[in-house]
Amino acid sequence: MTRYRELVERYFQACTHEPAEQIAAFFCAQASVYDNNHKPVQGAQAIGTFYVKMRERWQGASWHIDTFIEGDDGAASEWTMRAYQHGEIQLARGSEHYEFEEGLIRQIRQYWRFDRQALATGLVDYPYTEDPRFTPC
């Protein structure tokens, strides 16, 4: 396993199970999370709080890495968020691009589509069930 993948997997586990302070510990103090669905989340503490609210809003949301590539100071992943909406499991899929500084996440740029009425998202007509990298969470 690569060093950045391990860091991101631990960060996803924290988002899934831990309090805001433990999520914030994965980020530089002035880190940013950019997303195509909402305004940037600025600062480690705000990011930790944001993910706790996401987890609570989506009734126990959990995040999982499907694919991962990395370079010297950056990485990218495709991920799946498993959540509940209207009592049913929904899978939202997206991609993140990471920049790191001194072993912490400095910036995340997230790309995914959010629809309040239909949380389940992914690539149109991609054969997720046939690709072993994308196993149900």
Side-chain angles (χ1 to χ4, degrees):
M1 186 174 305
T2 61
R3 70 179 172 154
Y4 291 137
R5 182 177 179 131
E6 182 178 332
L7 174 70
V8 173
E9 284 184 348
R10 290 190 345 249
Y11 147 66
F12 276 174
Q13 285 298 311
C15 289
T16 299
H17 301 290
E18 304 298 337
E21 302 79 38
Q22 290 185 322
I23 298 167
F26 287 91
F27 291 87
C28 298
Q30 300 304 315
S32 300
V33 174
Y34 297 94
D35 189 295
N36 55 334
N37 296 291
H38 56 75
K39 292 182 178 184
V41 182
Q42 304 283 341
Q45 294 302 318
I47 293 167
T49 300
F50 172 81
Y51 280 105
V52 168
K53 287 180 181 178
M54 287 285 293
R55 182 175 69 217
E56 292 170 353
R57 178 180 188 179
W58 298 112
Q59 303 170 6
S62 62
W63 290 265
H64 309 273
I65 293 174
D66 297 316
T67 67
F68 197 85
I69 58 172
E70 71 176 67
D72 291 337
D73 294 319
S77 73
E78 288 179 288
W79 50 261
T80 299
M81 179 183 77
R82 179 180 191 227
Y84 292 90
Q85 184 180 42
H86 311 299
E88 295 184 18
I89 294 174
Q90 302 289 321
L91 301 178
R93 300 184 191 275
S95 178
E96 291 186 344
H97 299 260
Y98 310 91
E99 292 181 14
F100 303 95
E101 184 177 296
E102 298 180 5
L104 297 172
I105 301 168
R106 184 175 67 78
Q107 183 182 102
I108 297 177
R109 296 179 310 280
Q110 299 177 336
Y111 299 90
W112 67 296
R113 180 178 61 89
F114 175 70
D115 181 341
R116 287 188 189 280
Q117 302 306 313
L119 180 61
T121 59
L123 298 171
V124 174
D125 294 333
Y126 186 83
Y128 287 108
T129 59
E130 298 169 23
D131 188 331
R133 297 174 299 176
F134 298 91
T135 58
C137 306

